[in-house]
Amino acid sequence: CFRLIDRCSEDKLMNTAMPDRGVKEKECAQITSLSRCFRWQLEREGKFPQRKRISSRSHFWLLSELQEWLQDPQGYSVAK
């Protein structure tokens, strides 16, 4: 009986989506290997995920959006 419950718990964990998180500038540069200026240019053209503003001097990207961009950088476009 314990193994059955344990197995069900494992299945639930495997099917649970990981929560999204914010990625700051330094980590974004490491993930994408693109300079800040080039990412900004692509973002303005709608070819890179939009930054989310935390405050007037701080922003982040969603990790899920960066991963989506990494899957197909040439074909990526921001949904409007």
Side-chain angles (χ1 to χ4, degrees):
C1 185
F2 177 72
R3 286 191 64 63
L4 179 60
I5 293 170
D6 190 44
R7 178 114 177 148
C8 290
S9 298
E10 284 180 24
D11 291 342
K12 284 182 182 178
L13 286 173
M14 294 303 286
N15 292 328
T16 304
M18 294 297 291
D20 208 357
R21 68 177 181 87
V23 173
K24 301 286 279 183
E25 178 66 41
K26 186 175 181 179
E27 187 178 5
C28 186
Q30 291 173 338
I31 290 171
T32 63
S33 300
L34 299 176
S35 72
R36 179 185 302 187
C37 294
F38 190 61
R39 281 184 279 122
W40 183 80
Q41 180 183 357
L42 291 175
E43 185 179 331
R44 299 277 294 177
E45 295 171 1
K47 298 177 182 176
F48 192 80
Q50 295 289 313
R51 291 172 285 174
K52 313 298 187 237
R53 201 167 277 292
I54 297 172
S55 68
S56 62
R57 298 180 58 173
S58 184
H59 58 270
F60 68 95
W61 291 266
L62 290 175
L63 179 59
S64 61
E65 292 179 358
L66 292 177
Q67 290 171 330
E68 183 182 337
W69 178 83
L70 286 169
Q71 293 297 315
D72 185 17
Q74 297 294 325
Y76 182 87
S77 67
V78 175
K80 298 206 181 209

